[in-house]
């Protein structure tokens, strides 16, 4: 188990500055039918059969609507000093190196979290590929930005805590035109076609450029890593509005290879919700909390109290779910 957790650290929090994660004792999991597919992960990684696993199907008619404080991003407009891109045999991982860290706080989060890496999940065609579903709808690709809790000095320790990680999830939909923000990434995929290959981006990109236009509208819930050992340490933030990519850009990811063949897909099937609350942030927190002259003081006071109560309930549930 300690070996599995150590392997998960390399996979989850940055792959040792972009270096390949594989070796003679590489993680034994895959996505094609067979002994390594997701239905068999729990045979070797018992935590993959946990109660609060990810991904899930988010049914909008079952979520609880909340109005959380704004997400606060730090240093997201700065270009990294260097960017490495790696085919680790399971996905494409990008490691961005900064002189000052990229951070996130606010929203449903009590601590501050530091950016560690981002990676992608995709499907065999444009009708499926995302891990989380919205109303049983799958998008062709999903981007995960991984952040580690700064309350813990060691990122390995964060992987043992139920508030250890935050993952920002962004969905993609197909459009005719290429998305220029992703052009350098897609154009570099040919240099990392085989597993364990790494290259560098000459220009790179800012974190802001990878985010959707609106970061106010999102779903959030407590869950797990979507790859073994599936540790239940993640606060998920799934942005509602998708980002656009062309078919050719998504198709380029499907041409990569793993150690078991072509990496046409790498998405874990949805898991049981198991009674977990899923919240939908409706946005507009800043407007709702701007001081205004109220004609009905009593009604305004009651509305303010109800908002505070809703926020406290959401925070409390986040802290005590596990």
């Amino acid at each position: 188990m300690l070996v599995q957790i150590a392997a998960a650290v390399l996979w989850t929090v940055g792959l040792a500055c972009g270096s390949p994660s594989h070796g003679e004792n590489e993680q034994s999991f895959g996505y094609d039918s067979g002994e390594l597919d997701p239905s068999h992960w729990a045979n070797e990684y018992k935590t993959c059969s946990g109660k609060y696993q990810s991904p899930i199907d988010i049914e909008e008619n079952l979520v609880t609507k909340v109005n959380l404080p704004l997400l606060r991003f730090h240093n997201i407009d700065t270009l990294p000093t260097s960017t490495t891109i790696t085919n680790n045999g399971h996905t494409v991982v990008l490691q961005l190196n900064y002189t000052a860290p990229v951070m996130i706080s606010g929203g449903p989060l009590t601590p501050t979290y530091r950016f560690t890496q981002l990676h992608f999940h995709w499907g065999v065609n444009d009708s499926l590929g995302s891990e989380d579903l919205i109303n049983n709808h799958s998008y062709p690709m999903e981007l995960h930005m991984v952040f580690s809790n700064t309350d813990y000095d060691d990122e390995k320790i964060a992987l043992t805590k139920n508030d250890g990680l935050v993952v920002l999830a962004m969905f993609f939909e197909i459009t005719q035109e290429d998305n220029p923000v992703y052009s350098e990434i897609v154009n570099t995929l040919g240099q990392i076609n085989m597993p364990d290959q790494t290259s560098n981006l000459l220009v790179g990109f800012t974190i802001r450029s990878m985010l959707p236009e609106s970061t106010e509208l999102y779903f959030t819930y407590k869950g797990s890593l979507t790859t073994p050992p599936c540790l239940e340490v993640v606060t998920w933030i799934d942005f509602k509005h998708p980002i656009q990519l062309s078919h050719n850009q998504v198709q380029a990811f499907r041409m990569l290879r793993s150690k078991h063949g072509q990496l046409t897909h790498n998405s874990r099937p949805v898991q049981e919700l198991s009674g977990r609350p899923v919240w939908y942030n409706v946005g507009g927190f800043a407007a709702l909390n701007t001081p205004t002259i109220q004609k009905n003081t009593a009604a305004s006071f009651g509305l303010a109290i109800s908002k505070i109560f809703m926020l406290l309930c959401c925070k409390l549930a986040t802290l005590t779910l596990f």
Side-chain angles (χ1 to χ4, degrees):
M1 180 61 70
L2 291 177
V3 172
Q4 294 169 5
I5 292 177
V9 171
L10 293 178
W11 159 246
T12 308
V13 299
L15 295 173
C17 297
S19 61
S21 66
H22 294 303
E24 292 301 318
N25 296 313
E26 69 176 75
Q27 287 179 284
S28 301
F29 73 91
Y31 295 93
D32 290 316
S33 298
E35 295 182 357
L36 300 180
D37 74 2
S39 65
H40 292 89
W41 288 356
N43 293 343
E44 185 171 352
Y45 306 95
K46 301 302 182 184
T47 41
C48 289
S49 62
K51 185 175 182 180
Y52 299 125
Q53 291 288 290
S54 297
I56 62 171
D57 178 20
I58 297 173
E59 296 285 350
E60 288 192 83
N61 63 328
L62 299 179
V63 302
T64 300
K65 294 182 179 179
V66 293
N67 192 267
L68 297 172
L70 294 174
L71 289 170
R72 296 189 295 274
F73 297 93
H74 310 272
N75 203 36
I76 63 171
D77 293 307
T78 303
L79 279 171
T81 56
S82 63
T83 303
T84 58
I85 181 171
T86 300
N87 172 359
N88 70 355
H90 301 296
T91 186
V92 172
V93 183
L94 288 106
Q95 182 74 39
L96 286 64
N97 302 305
Y98 294 92
T99 53
V102 170
M103 315 278 267
I104 185 174
S105 59
L109 311 175
T110 300
T112 298
Y113 291 78
R114 179 189 298 108
F115 173 79
T116 61
Q117 53 106 322
L118 62 85
H119 60 269
F120 298 86
H121 295 271
W122 59 87
V124 295
N125 58 54
D126 293 343
S127 68
L128 75 169
S130 65
E131 295 205 301
D132 278 337
L133 308 182
I134 308 296
N135 300 322
N136 203 36
H137 171 70
S138 179
Y139 293 89
M141 179 177 274
E142 184 174 337
L143 165 63
H144 291 165
M145 289 187 183
V146 183
F147 293 74
S148 181
N149 191 330
T150 58
D151 285 351
Y152 309 116
D153 293 334
D154 191 330
E155 291 172 350
K156 296 179 183 179
I157 297 176
L159 281 174
T160 68
K161 307 295 184 179
N162 60 30
D163 63 348
L165 300 179
V166 166
V167 177
L168 304 184
M170 281 137 282
F171 303 112
F172 294 91
E173 63 182 6
I174 299 299
T175 186
Q176 280 192 318
E177 301 296 327
D178 287 349
N179 185 332
V181 173
Y182 290 83
S183 292
E184 188 177 18
I185 295 174
V186 172
N187 292 339
T188 310
L189 293 180
Q191 301 174 29
I192 59 167
N193 183 61
M194 301 301 295
D196 297 345
Q197 288 185 325
T198 295
S199 187
N200 296 291
L201 301 188
L202 297 179
V203 179
F205 50 86
T206 66
I207 290 295
R208 183 184 294 278
S209 70
M210 306 288 277
L211 295 171
E213 289 186 10
S214 172
T215 57
E216 283 195 73
L217 306 178
Y218 57 82
F219 304 94
T220 182
Y221 72 96
K222 295 289 289 186
S224 73
L225 306 178
T226 62
T227 56
C230 313
L231 302 175
E232 293 176 349
V233 298
V234 182
T235 298
W236 285 90
I237 295 177
D238 291 12
F239 293 114
K240 181 177 176 64
H241 293 307
I243 298 168
Q244 294 187 332
L245 284 183
S246 71
H247 165 79
N248 289 338
Q249 287 180 308
V250 177
Q251 184 66 20
F253 286 83
R254 300 180 184 123
M255 304 308 293
L256 298 173
R257 298 192 66 81
S258 71
K259 289 198 172 182
H260 308 290
Q262 195 165 338
L263 192 57
T264 58
H265 60 285
N266 61 351
S267 299
R268 187 189 192 190
V270 294
Q271 307 295 301
E272 294 292 333
L273 190 59
S274 300
R276 277 174 287 177
V278 179
W279 299 287
Y280 174 61
N281 189 55
V282 299
F285 181 88
L288 288 172
N289 288 272
T290 301
T292 55
I293 299 175
Q294 300 289 344
K295 294 183 179 180
N296 189 333
T297 303
S300 301
F301 179 76
L303 180 60
I305 292 296
S306 67
K307 290 175 185 173
I308 293 172
F309 179 74
M310 181 181 294
L311 177 59
L312 289 175
C313 288
C314 183
K315 290 279 189 181
L316 182 61
T318 301
L319 292 172
T320 61
L321 180 60
F322 296 145

